[in-house]
Amino acid sequence: MQYVLSCFFGLMMLAAVTTVKEIDGSESVKGIDIIPTPKLMELTGKRFVLTHNGRPEAMIIIDENNRKAALAAQEINNFINALGGQPLPIGTDVNNGAGRSRSINTIQLVSPQKTPSGDFPSVVREAMDILSTKGEQGYAIRFYSGQKEGEAAVLAGIGWQGLLNASSTFCLLIKKEGATIFMTEAQVTDWPDFKYRGLPVWPLPGSFDDFKKYVDWAFRYKFNRIYTYTTRQKAPDGFNLPSSEERRYLRKINAYARDRGIKINYELTWAVAQVSQGESRDEHQGSVLINDQYYSWSDDASLRKRASEIAQFAHETEAESLLFHCIDTYEEGWDKRGKNDHKRFGKDRASADANVINIFTREIRKSNPGIELQFVVAPYHANFDLLGNERYKTWIARLTALIPNDVYLTVAELNREQTDSWIAVARQPLVHWINGYAFQWGRYFSILPAFDKTAFYEGRDRDIIIHWEPIGYFNGEVMQLIAAEYSWNVDAPGSGQITEERAGKIMVGGADLHYRKEMINGMDAGAWAWYRGTGEPEPALGNLLLKACRLEFGEEAAPYMVEFFRNNPIGWRNAGLYNQVLHDVMPGKELDACSDQLKKTKDALSSLKKALTVIRMNSPVRERLKRFLSNTYNQALVINGMTAYYQAKQLLAKGLNAEASEVIINVRNQIAAIRRKMEKTGYWSDESQVWHEESENSLKIAEAGIHKVLSRNLLKNPGFEEPLGPIDHNNKTIPWWSSFGSLEITQDSHSGRYAAKLKLKSSDDFVLMEQALAVVPGCNGYVEFWLKKDDNFRVIPVLQYWNADHTKKIEDLAVNDFPFNTAVQDYGMYSGTFLLPPHVTRAVFKIYADWFGFTPNQEKMLYLDDVFVSCGSN
């Protein structure tokens, strides 16, 4: 091979006459759609011909013993074959191989591991010098003009992973025009910032062939971790292990991925056992039972047994990476721990967590030495340096000292102050697990990856970053292409950092966890994500998004798909998700937020329809676009209904009942028109009916509020006072209010009249106000009230009644998606409809408040007035 390099390169001269142009990710160059964009790339202005009229015009030169070079060569040929060309001949000497009787282009695949760097031509050596400190994933591509042999390309990697990265970039430069397959010549020098970049694939693909296409996709865009479930059997709950059939193909896919520098990570929980039907719980007495799974910190025998089962699965499949999730609460369900956990660990959760991690690590690595293990501990979204979080900082400092240095800990979401606090204390490498504002909110796209530099630290080469936006069924590919760009180059155009609000109020959440608001571009992160998270920063959303759409949907549809992703609305995964996100993120600003989403929905529908006009009928891309359109139609049903609900609610608060009624009539007609259009074009389905009913329910609630004057209020409101004595009880024809805790009458109401004020003291377990009411059997009712509270604590509006046997009290939320954990400092009106079972003739309306998930550090106030409950108002 040394002969090939010295003789071959000795015949080549640098093309000094060619003008080069340096480009970056903010530029759009026809024929150049590479993601992630190379850090240094210069176009030569020339074409490098690979095949013409079906005939190879180039050959690939590799070292005969270099398996990775052979694999890279095969990837290049696979790409050419997919474009309809014949594979290029592969040789180990430039003087051998097909076509040497004529001039032919050559592609040389080399790496310093196989070839002495001194044998590289000067320009390649220069690139290798730049890359020498950048890690083994760095690579270079160089083009030369030969004297006799035609044009020449060199693909060089610092290590074998760099060589594979070079081949994937080379493939993305390949184009077809007429009968010619060629590549646009570009001198490339490139390396990643985050060395490990994760890609979620949900659910677990059902076969080797199904999984292979995702591995190939990951390889093409330089992801080197894939996260997935362990099995498709039963529910993907993180406990079940693969069946025998699945293990056979998982072993094969793990080997296929490993050859390409990719580790597949399988997600599990800390659970030691599942609940089995009819089993006795004696075996797991004292364990925490959550979601039909048993968890324990002190049952070493059960922990070892579970770990050995996982070790066997990993050994049989040759799995290289596993992730274990604790109970997903603020403190891992620590407050529910059993007596054995209490006896052994007392209040020392760090030692208890370390016991679990150490047993799993020790047992699994007995038969799987060197396997990568990742652990999720809680809280996983915390700034340990924030005043008030001292006990959490003590916990994480003790934990990190008690577990191996080479396991991973997981920190979820990101802001710079939070991540700084983890970096300062954790000895282990970190998995930056970013849930984001796309999949979690039921969107297909968010520009949040542009802020990946928030989690980047020079020299931390083992950290992993993953945006939890699944590809495949969940269509997260465009989202992940943006993630590929910014995890590879954290300073790509449009990049930024997420920070905590510097002078903002320190708030207290569940389990006394202190936090500040997170800020993006000077705006609250939630509001930014709602209004601007698909529309800025412009450098990220201009040509980068266009490149991503060209790669996924083709040249003609790409401009329309850019507009779709800029406007794709919230909530596509299920009919109730939009309302849930709305209540969580935009309390008190619902109408403005709905109006924003309604406009975006209309624009998204328009863009998709235009894209479909340019896609050929039998294209797989067309089927993807039709799924987008079907889901967006469904979202239009719900968002129209919710917008009308809040418009009507605002009008009703001003006493404008007729105007509110007109809004509902108009929107009901619009929803009917959407349904007719869906039916006419074949997009209506049984699933659409669910979305239609969700929308209609919103309109019915608003309508009930309009017509409440026609119904008798079943609750007595004035004064909210309790009866004075038994005589008053007997004389009451309407049920009365009663309370538990401190109750005062105040004029601090939304209308300036009397209201009830409940005082939740730091010593209280709960407070409540309730009133019994007699209802007609099968009551189809409506509830409305005004409420505010002066800080974060839990408030729940409840309708309570007996079951049919009168043996158990049933409690239903009176208002679905009520923001019970959210501060409501100004009066807001809440309303809902309910349907009581036919046997119920008496119920209780209750406003209940407690400290669940919050720290009782001072007295809090809850104000309630103008409560209205009616039956048959619809």
Side-chain angles (χ1 to χ4, degrees):
M1 187 63 185
Q2 185 172 348
Y3 165 79
V4 174
L5 285 169
S6 58
C7 292
F8 174 50
F9 289 130
L11 294 172
M12 293 193 299
M13 298 177 61
L14 297 180
V17 297
T18 303
T19 301
V20 297
K21 181 180 185 298
E22 186 173 335
I23 65 173
D24 63 25
S26 64
E27 295 185 66
S28 181
V29 179
K30 187 174 179 58
I32 301 291
D33 291 329
I34 303 175
I35 293 179
T37 308
K39 285 191 168 72
L40 300 172
M41 181 165 67
E42 298 176 334
L43 302 181
T44 70
K46 298 173 66 176
R47 288 183 174 186
F48 186 88
V49 178
L50 300 170
T51 72
H52 180 66
N53 288 329
R55 184 179 181 182
E57 295 289 331
M59 69 177 297
I60 302 172
I61 309 298
I62 65 173
D63 182 274
E64 59 184 346
N65 297 316
N66 192 337
R67 284 186 63 249
K68 297 302 181 181
L71 190 152
Q74 187 59 52
E75 292 292 334
I76 293 170
N77 272 335
N78 288 344
F79 203 93
I80 293 171
N81 186 63
L83 291 175
Q86 289 189 10
L88 305 182
I90 300 173
T92 58
D93 191 312
V94 72
N95 295 312
N96 296 325
R100 293 313 299 150
S101 60
R102 59 189 176 86
S103 177
I104 190 168
N105 296 332
T106 54
I107 304 164
Q108 188 83 32
L109 305 181
V110 295
S111 67
Q113 293 171 330
K114 294 290 183 180
T115 304
S117 59
D119 290 332
F120 291 163
S122 60
V123 176
V124 177
R125 290 200 302 272
E126 188 177 310
M128 292 296 103
D129 289 340
I130 295 173
L131 295 170
S132 61
T133 61
K134 306 300 185 181
E136 64 175 7
Q137 295 182 50
Y139 69 94
I141 299 175
R142 291 293 185 269
F143 290 87
Y144 302 88
S145 293
Q147 291 180 328
K148 297 179 181 179
E149 293 78 11
E151 298 297 306
V154 179
L155 279 62
I158 286 293
W160 66 264
Q161 288 184 318
L163 183 59
L164 294 181
N165 287 335
S167 71
S168 67
T169 295
F170 188 92
C171 288
L172 290 173
L173 287 164
I174 297 175
K175 303 293 177 185
K176 183 177 183 180
E177 189 173 289
T180 303
I181 295 175
F182 65 94
M183 69 169 297
T184 303
E185 287 192 7
Q187 315 287 33
V188 175
T189 307
D190 198 17
W191 66 93
D193 288 334
F194 276 102
K195 300 300 185 288
Y196 301 116
R197 304 160 302 278
L199 178 72
V201 175
W202 290 355
L204 178 73
S207 68
F208 173 82
D209 290 337
D210 289 341
F211 209 150
K212 178 181 176 296
K213 65 183 180 182
Y214 297 120
V215 174
D216 291 341
W217 196 93
F219 177 76
R220 177 173 298 176
Y221 301 113
K222 301 181 177 66
F223 292 95
N224 49 23
R225 293 292 186 281
I226 290 177
Y227 286 74
T228 192
Y229 293 131
T230 57
T231 178
R232 295 176 67 94
Q233 299 299 308
K234 300 182 180 179
D237 55 11
F239 185 88
N240 297 323
L241 294 174
S243 64
S244 298
E245 180 181 354
E246 287 171 329
R247 294 185 192 214
R248 284 192 290 272
Y249 96 76
L250 289 180
R251 182 185 181 96
K252 186 178 177 184
I253 198 67
N254 285 332
Y256 183 82
R258 182 165 53 249
D259 278 346
R260 287 151 182 79
I262 298 169
K263 289 184 179 180
I264 299 176
N265 177 284
Y266 298 93
E267 300 169 52
L268 296 148
T269 67
W270 289 19
V272 296
Q274 278 184 313
V275 173
S276 298
Q277 190 171 6
E279 75 168 354
S280 168
R281 194 183 168 183
D282 293 344
E283 182 182 351
H284 301 290
Q285 189 68 35
S287 298
V288 179
L289 180 59
I290 296 285
N291 295 331
D292 291 331
Q293 297 184 31
Y294 294 113
Y295 293 79
S296 174
W297 286 269
S298 59
D299 187 351
D300 290 2
S302 293
L303 287 166
R304 285 193 296 269
K305 179 176 181 293
R306 174 61 176 163
S308 67
E309 294 169 349
I310 295 168
Q312 180 66 21
F313 140 66
H315 182 71
E316 289 179 4
T317 61
E318 296 184 354
E320 291 188 287
S321 184
L322 304 173
L323 180 143
F324 297 92
H325 205 302
C326 62
I327 297 175
D328 202 1
T329 66
Y330 285 105
E331 291 188 322
E332 307 164 3
W334 181 244
D335 59 324
K336 298 178 176 62
R337 64 194 183 279
K339 60 182 181 181
N340 292 335
D341 296 325
H342 270 287
K343 181 178 179 180
R344 180 171 175 183
F345 296 111
K347 296 181 179 180
D348 186 2
R349 182 162 66 92
S351 293
D353 286 350
N355 188 57
V356 175
I357 291 172
N358 290 335
I359 289 176
F360 272 71
T361 301
R362 185 168 56 249
E363 295 298 318
I364 293 170
R365 284 182 170 170
K366 283 180 182 178
S367 54
N368 302 273
I371 191 171
E372 180 181 272
L373 299 177
Q374 305 171 17
F375 293 91
V376 180
V377 295
Y380 43 65
H381 184 57
N383 179 352
F384 297 121
D385 292 331
L386 199 62
L387 187 65
N389 287 340
E390 291 81 5
R391 72 184 181 95
Y392 287 113
K393 186 171 185 177
T394 299
W395 160 76
I396 193 66
R398 279 186 45 75
L399 176 62
T400 190
L402 293 171
I403 61 178
N405 288 350
D406 62 347
V407 301
Y408 280 81
L409 294 177
T410 301
V411 53
E413 289 85 46
L414 73 164
N415 70 60
R416 191 63 177 188
E417 290 77 10
Q418 168 191 280
T419 317
D420 281 345
S421 76
W422 281 78
I423 296 297
V425 69
R427 301 189 307 171
Q428 290 72 27
L430 299 178
V431 179
H432 297 281
W433 178 328
I434 303 168
N435 285 321
Y437 303 113
F439 173 77
Q440 298 289 327
W441 283 17
R443 264 181 172 163
Y444 295 108
F445 179 73
S446 160
I447 199 56
L448 190 69
F451 301 91
D452 279 357
K453 70 189 321 181
T454 304
F456 180 71
Y457 296 78
E458 288 283 355
R460 290 187 61 90
D461 291 346
R462 295 181 58 211
D463 288 356
I464 300 170
I465 190 165
I466 173 173
H467 287 266
W468 221 253
E469 315 291 353
I471 67 170
Y473 173 78
F474 294 106
N475 278 292
E477 281 82 355
V478 166
M479 181 75 199
Q480 287 297 343
L481 287 174
I482 305 300
E485 181 81 358
Y486 287 101
S487 59
W488 185 271
N489 181 5
V490 298
D491 291 313
S495 62
Q497 289 197 21
I498 302 172
T499 60
E500 287 184 355
E501 192 176 25
R502 300 290 183 180
K505 175 184 176 183
I506 295 180
M507 294 167 283
V508 183
D512 196 27
L513 185 67
H514 290 59
Y515 65 97
R516 277 199 176 106
K517 285 183 179 179
E518 293 180 326
M519 308 298 290
I520 299 179
N521 290 345
M523 190 175 183
D524 171 78
W528 175 87
W530 187 283
Y531 290 107
R532 302 181 184 177
T534 61
E536 65 174 42
E538 185 58 37
L541 284 164
N543 293 312
L544 177 59
L545 181 56
L546 182 61
K547 283 200 296 184
C549 289
R550 282 200 294 252
L551 288 166
E552 283 298 308
F553 306 106
E555 187 78 32
E556 292 183 314
Y560 304 118
M561 294 308 295
V562 166
E563 290 308 307
F564 167 69
F565 286 109
R566 280 176 174 262
N567 292 289
N568 76 109
I570 289 165
W572 76 265
R573 286 194 290 113
N574 63 69
L577 183 57
Y578 176 82
N579 199 20
Q580 176 187 325
V581 176
L582 179 67
H583 278 285
D584 288 345
V585 180
M586 289 289 160
K589 303 173 184 176
E590 291 89 351
L591 180 54
D592 181 63
C594 284
S595 299
D596 167 79
Q597 286 295 295
L598 185 60
K599 180 183 183 306
K600 287 176 178 173
T601 303
K602 292 176 180 176
D603 291 343
L605 285 169
S606 175
S607 300
L608 286 171
K609 292 173 186 176
K610 291 175 182 177
L612 280 165
T613 64
V614 299
I615 299 294
R616 67 180 187 272
M617 294 302 294
N618 61 345
S619 169
V621 170
R622 186 176 185 83
E623 293 306 310
R624 290 181 67 188
L625 266 58
K626 287 174 68 176
R627 288 197 296 273
F628 285 140
L629 184 56
S630 176
N631 290 336
T632 308
Y633 267 135
N634 287 338
Q635 290 171 271
L637 296 171
V638 165
I639 295 172
N640 269 279
M642 290 301 302
T643 306
Y645 167 76
Y646 284 106
Q647 288 174 334
K649 184 175 177 179
Q650 188 178 82
L651 292 167
L652 287 172
K654 299 176 182 178
L656 302 175
N657 287 29
E659 289 83 351
S661 182
E662 184 176 354
V663 165
I664 292 173
I665 291 170
N666 289 340
V667 169
R668 192 169 266 136
N669 288 336
Q670 291 172 21
I671 290 171
I674 293 172
R675 175 171 182 165
R676 287 194 298 271
K677 189 174 295 184
M678 291 175 71
E679 290 173 337
K680 183 178 179 180
T681 54
Y683 288 98
W684 185 262
S685 65
D686 291 342
E687 181 186 1
S688 301
Q689 183 62 41
V690 176
W691 293 76
H692 188 274
E693 289 172 0
E694 180 78 11
S695 178
E696 182 62 22
N697 185 55
S698 301
L699 298 180
K700 284 182 178 179
I701 293 173
E703 210 165 35
I706 293 172
H707 300 302
K708 70 177 184 179
V709 294
L710 305 176
S711 302
R712 180 170 63 90
N713 186 3
L714 301 179
L715 294 188
K716 180 178 175 63
N717 286 298
F720 289 87
E721 68 276 7
E722 295 185 49
L724 298 177
I727 296 176
D728 295 302
H729 286 205
N730 296 331
N731 291 337
K732 293 289 183 182
T733 56
I734 299 177
W736 56 87
W737 286 97
S738 60
S739 67
F740 178 88
S742 176
L743 172 67
E744 302 174 23
I745 305 302
T746 175
Q747 288 188 335
D748 185 13
S749 70
H750 79 282
S751 57
R753 296 189 294 272
Y754 280 109
K757 178 171 73 173
L758 284 169
K759 185 181 296 182
L760 180 60
K761 300 177 182 178
S762 58
S763 57
D764 286 337
D765 291 328
F766 66 92
V767 296
L768 64 83
M769 282 188 65
E770 64 181 14
Q771 186 176 138
L773 53 138
V775 300
V776 298
C779 172
N780 184 6
Y782 169 77
V783 60
E784 172 187 296
F785 54 88
W786 290 77
L787 176 146
K788 79 170 183 176
K789 55 196 179 93
D790 64 0
D791 209 332
N792 286 321
F793 56 95
R794 190 170 74 157
V795 173
I796 307 177
V798 171
L799 277 167
Q800 184 185 80
Y801 51 89
W802 288 100
N803 64 359
D805 298 331
H806 215 71
T807 58
K808 181 181 178 182
K809 286 185 178 180
I810 307 298
E811 290 192 342
D812 287 336
L813 276 178
V815 178
N816 288 332
D817 300 311
F818 180 78
F820 54 85
N821 280 351
T822 304
V824 183
Q825 297 181 349
D826 296 317
Y827 269 97
M829 187 184 79
Y830 301 93
S831 56
T833 58
F834 59 88
L835 180 63
L836 296 176
H839 70 274
V840 175
T841 58
R842 189 172 180 82
V844 175
F845 174 78
K846 178 190 299 185
I847 294 286
Y848 175 94
D850 66 10
W851 292 108
F852 183 83
F854 298 95
T855 302
N857 50 11
Q858 59 184 354
E859 291 181 350
K860 306 293 183 184
M861 304 301 175
L862 166 67
Y863 300 83
L864 176 74
D865 66 8
D866 274 13
V867 185
F868 181 90
V869 178
S870 67
C871 269
S873 59
N874 291 337

